[in-house]
Amino acid sequence: MYRFFENLVDPFPRGEPSQPPRGLAAFLYHYSRPLLPWLVLMSVVTALISVVELSFLSFLGSLVDWLADADRAGFFREHGWMLLGIGVLIVAGFPLLVLLQSLLTHQTIFGNYPMLVRWLAHRYVLRQSMAFFQDEFAGRVSQKVMQTALSIRETVLKLTDVFVYVVVYFTGAMFLVGRADPWLMLPLVLWLAAYIGILVHFVPRLRRISMAQADARAQMTGRVVDSYTNIQTIKLFAHTLREQDYAREAMTGFMDTVYRQMRLVTALTVTLQTTNALLLVGVAGIAVFAWQQALISLGAIAVAVSLVLRIRSMSDWILWEVAGLFENIGTVQDGINTIARPPAVRDASGAAELAVPRGAIRFEDVRFGYDRYAPVIRDLALSIGPGEKVGLVGRSGAGKSTLVNLLLRFHDVDGGRILVDGQDVATVTQESLRRNVGLVTQDTSLLHRSIRDNIRYGRPDATEEEVIAAAEQARAHEFIAGLSDPQGRTGYDAHVGERGVKLSGGQRQRIAIARVLLKNAPILILDEATAALDSEVEAAIQEQLYTLMEGKTVIAIAHRLSTIAALDRLVVIDGGRVAESGSHHELLARGGLYAALWQRQSGGFLGLEPAEGGYAESRATAVEAGG
């Protein structure tokens, strides 16, 4: 039975996630749509339960009147069947309704609802552009996804509960007391007016504070997570106290919202209880006066007082539900600002899969700037032939890495276009583009998973033998065999820690190279790929890098010019444009910017002077020099 109700909703629906709308109601509907039939059914069952409870209260009034007037000897003969029917309803019918409500609430909705939201929101956020993640704390984004999922569930459930109870109970109470004496409706009407006034006064204030609190909580969490993520830097610079102050500043801001919220809570509680007391006195006073005038029966008094007591307890619950509702609405609206942002980089409508039979790359008058008033790339034109190995050279900030990011379409160009085998990268799917490009960067980040999973990330269907072969090519197999983690996992099963912190920089780099070796994409980008390696390790894997480059179109970036001097062609980028282009010897003979950079490095850190004859002969020279 439990499994049946749990399976009524699939928390992991297939299909591409669409952009959530920015409006609150539309945002709630967007994520609630798969559960709407069950939410409606739950509301209907809840309304039936409320009707049964009101019917029981009405019956109690009738029972009091029967007991006051009935002949004891013939009481059961006259009212026995009615008593039996009510008893069966209470003992059998009511629990069945409660069981159905509980199964729908706890098995169908409660667990599946937030997981469905998390699944859809997480998949959508994963499709955001790189700029989105560069501008946000990772902890802040993850917390908003998790918090928003729970708050959407709480908002919708509270809305339905409050609506059902208010409509059914208050309408039923007005009907029952009005049937006894219309004057009994007066305190209820006045109380309702006062209650609405309390809501109008306090709830918007609670909502504003809750929104501020949600943002302060996310800021506090983001700062704490940022400290943990960069713990090595904090300890290296001995800034533990500085980080404490940094976190305390955010925590103090959060506590300020808590204090403001609790002051409102105290005022709200006192106001509500005073209003409820006046309701009880008003209804009881009018009921007793009407009984004294023989206008109503004792049973009517019992019903009226019971309803007031029930409404008093429910008014507390409803008010806090409404306060909680707006607290959750504040969290949802805060989440909308993050989750519902449109991606800066989108696939074009009907985008095709990129096919790379040759690997030719062409930049045509490309313009780009992170800030429109400060361009980084200016009308850059560059053609790279199929299988050509090109090194990008230039001062820091010249635009080399930006050019690579544009090729990978982490950002869209402001003007011009980039072609791969004649296909504009803006017209193909981002995933197919990146599947055809292998990238090794200086700042290698690994997933907090096993060594095997990190290498196999390059090609998830790779066999164990292929994973090990890639590790051996990258000179990583030897150190992998000696790895272990606190859970006792060893070798390729050992986990590397967040961002690979348990490995040295050189070890992380060799894992990254193994991953790209396994991927075997037709276009290869090396962005300071060996910068984290010492000279001995770099020399050891140099031959493997050249093997990796065979048959591929290669773009390599390096500040250590000796590591790329052996490539087919070097392109000097300066001020966002191509300043020089040619082989190492051609550029030295020209005596321009490249020659100045080479001279500054005194012939390069490794003392490598490439031979004449282009890439093939230079590779042999480089391998020999590397030992």
Side-chain angles (χ1 to χ4, degrees), residues 75-353:
F75 180 78
F76 286 106
R77 183 174 62 253
E78 184 178 353
H79 303 291
W81 285 109
M82 180 63 75
L83 291 170
L84 180 62
I86 292 295
V88 170
L89 178 63
I90 293 172
V91 173
F94 188 74
L96 285 175
L97 283 173
V98 171
L99 173 63
L100 180 57
Q101 183 201 41
S102 186
L103 287 170
L104 288 169
T105 302
H106 300 119
Q107 271 61 55
T108 303
I109 296 173
F110 216 74
N112 289 325
Y113 201 168
M115 188 56 67
L116 172 74
V117 178
R118 290 187 195 110
W119 170 248
L120 294 175
H122 173 61
R123 292 176 65 210
Y124 179 75
V125 168
L126 280 177
R127 285 160 173 74
Q128 286 286 4
S129 61
M130 289 293 293
F132 173 88
F133 294 99
Q134 290 165 351
D135 293 339
E136 288 275 5
F137 284 123
R140 179 184 172 93
V141 174
S142 61
Q143 186 190 32
K144 288 196 176 185
V145 169
M146 298 301 161
Q147 276 190 346
T148 302
L150 290 173
S151 293
I152 287 175
R153 180 192 69 187
E154 293 304 302
T155 297
V156 172
L157 291 184
K158 288 179 189 299
L159 272 172
T160 54
D161 280 351
V162 168
F163 177 78
V164 168
Y165 278 110
V166 167
V167 170
V168 174
Y169 260 97
F170 196 80
T171 303
M174 292 288 284
F175 172 76
L176 291 177
V177 300
R179 187 178 61 179
D181 187 333
W183 282 105
L184 287 173
M185 298 171 63
L186 180 61
L188 286 173
V189 171
L190 293 175
W191 174 87
L192 179 62
Y195 192 71
I196 291 173
I198 292 171
L199 291 178
V200 169
H201 178 77
F202 284 101
V203 167
R205 289 167 172 78
L206 284 170
R207 174 189 174 187
R208 287 193 293 270
I209 291 177
S210 296
M211 289 183 66
Q213 191 174 89
D215 190 62
R217 184 187 294 109
Q219 183 75 15
M220 175 178 64
T221 304
R223 290 193 177 191
V224 170
V225 171
D226 189 45
S227 296
Y228 296 158
T229 304
N230 297 285
I231 191 65
Q232 183 178 6
T233 302
I234 292 168
K235 291 188 176 295
L236 179 64
F237 286 91
H239 279 328
T240 302
L241 294 178
R242 184 186 182 92
E243 286 303 306
Q244 288 176 5
D245 292 340
Y246 183 63
R248 181 173 180 172
E249 181 183 350
M251 291 178 180
T252 301
F254 176 74
M255 286 304 299
D256 178 62
T257 65
V258 172
Y259 292 143
R260 287 158 54 203
Q261 184 185 53
M262 291 303 104
R263 290 168 193 163
L264 274 178
V265 167
T266 299
L268 176 58
T269 302
V270 173
T271 305
L272 177 62
Q273 293 305 322
T274 302
T275 305
N276 286 340
L278 291 172
L279 171 64
L280 178 60
V281 169
V283 170
I286 291 175
V288 170
F289 179 78
W291 173 81
Q292 194 268 336
Q293 298 295 317
L295 298 176
I296 61 173
S297 65
L298 288 174
I301 294 178
V303 170
V305 173
S306 298
L307 282 171
V308 169
L309 292 175
R310 177 65 174 150
I311 288 173
R312 283 191 62 185
S313 63
M314 283 189 61
S315 68
D316 281 336
W317 171 78
I318 289 173
L319 189 60
W320 291 116
E321 287 291 288
V322 172
L325 168 65
F326 279 98
E327 180 176 351
N328 283 290
I329 286 176
T331 302
V332 172
Q333 288 185 320
D334 190 47
I336 288 174
N337 295 332
T338 298
I339 296 171
R341 289 188 210 169
V345 179
R346 293 175 178 267
D347 284 344
S349 178
E353 294 283 303

Side-chain angles (χ1 to χ4, degrees), residues 227-542:
S227 296
Y228 296 158
T229 304
N230 297 285
I231 191 65
Q232 183 178 6
T233 302
I234 292 168
K235 291 188 176 295
L236 179 64
F237 286 91
H239 279 328
T240 302
L241 294 178
R242 184 186 182 92
E243 286 303 306
Q244 288 176 5
D245 292 340
Y246 183 63
R248 181 173 180 172
E249 181 183 350
M251 291 178 180
T252 301
F254 176 74
M255 286 304 299
D256 178 62
T257 65
V258 172
Y259 292 143
R260 287 158 54 203
Q261 184 185 53
M262 291 303 104
R263 290 168 193 163
L264 274 178
V265 167
T266 299
L268 176 58
T269 302
V270 173
T271 305
L272 177 62
Q273 293 305 322
T274 302
T275 305
N276 286 340
L278 291 172
L279 171 64
L280 178 60
V281 169
V283 170
I286 291 175
V288 170
F289 179 78
W291 173 81
Q292 194 268 336
Q293 298 295 317
L295 298 176
I296 61 173
S297 65
L298 288 174
I301 294 178
V303 170
V305 173
S306 298
L307 282 171
V308 169
L309 292 175
R310 177 65 174 150
I311 288 173
R312 283 191 62 185
S313 63
M314 283 189 61
S315 68
D316 281 336
W317 171 78
I318 289 173
L319 189 60
W320 291 116
E321 287 291 288
V322 172
L325 168 65
F326 279 98
E327 180 176 351
N328 283 290
I329 286 176
T331 302
V332 172
Q333 288 185 320
D334 190 47
I336 288 174
N337 295 332
T338 298
I339 296 171
R341 289 188 210 169
V345 179
R346 293 175 178 267
D347 284 344
S349 178
E353 294 283 303
L354 176 67
V356 188
R358 300 169 63 242
I361 302 171
R362 190 161 76 250
F363 297 85
E364 295 184 347
D365 299 321
V366 172
R367 299 187 304 279
F368 174 77
Y370 299 100
D371 180 343
R372 65 172 61 185
Y373 302 108
V376 178
I377 304 296
R378 299 177 175 86
D379 300 315
L380 184 141
L382 173 65
S383 292
I384 301 173
E388 188 178 10
K389 283 66 179 167
V390 172
L392 297 184
V393 179
R395 301 183 180 93
S396 295
K400 305 183 297 298
S401 294
T402 298
L403 207 60
V404 166
N405 289 336
L406 293 175
L407 172 61
L408 287 164
R409 209 173 165 225
F410 288 153
H411 307 278
D412 275 330
V413 297
D414 296 331
R417 59 180 187 161
I418 302 172
L419 306 176
V420 174
D421 280 342
Q423 302 156 88
D424 189 339
V425 298
T427 65
V428 300
T429 64
Q430 296 174 64
E431 289 201 356
S432 68
L433 169 63
R434 292 161 194 163
R435 276 198 304 268
N436 284 284
V437 179
L439 172 67
V440 182
T441 65
Q442 176 181 3
D443 182 22
T444 298
S445 177
L446 301 181
L447 301 164
H448 184 19
R449 301 170 195 175
S450 69
I451 293 285
R452 179 185 295 101
D453 288 340
N454 273 283
I455 296 177
R456 192 173 274 158
Y457 215 75
R459 183 154 55 87
D461 60 349
T463 65
E464 183 75 6
E465 291 73 19
E466 289 172 325
V467 170
I468 293 174
E472 289 174 340
Q473 273 191 291
R475 295 293 191 268
H477 179 72
E478 208 171 287
F479 80 77
I480 290 173
L483 293 176
S484 63
D485 64 25
Q487 281 69 44
R489 293 169 294 216
T490 60
Y492 286 85
D493 293 317
H495 284 219
V496 300
E498 188 174 3
R499 296 177 60 85
V501 294
K502 294 182 180 179
L503 304 181
S504 69
Q507 288 174 330
R508 287 198 301 272
Q509 201 74 327
R510 280 180 275 176
I511 296 296
I513 291 170
R515 185 165 58 190
V516 173
L517 280 163
L518 193 62
K519 184 177 183 180
N520 197 27
I523 298 173
L524 177 65
I525 297 174
L526 303 173
D527 190 352
E528 298 286 355
T530 59
L533 305 175
D534 58 51
S535 297
E536 184 177 354
V537 173
E538 181 182 21
I541 68 168
Q542 197 73 257

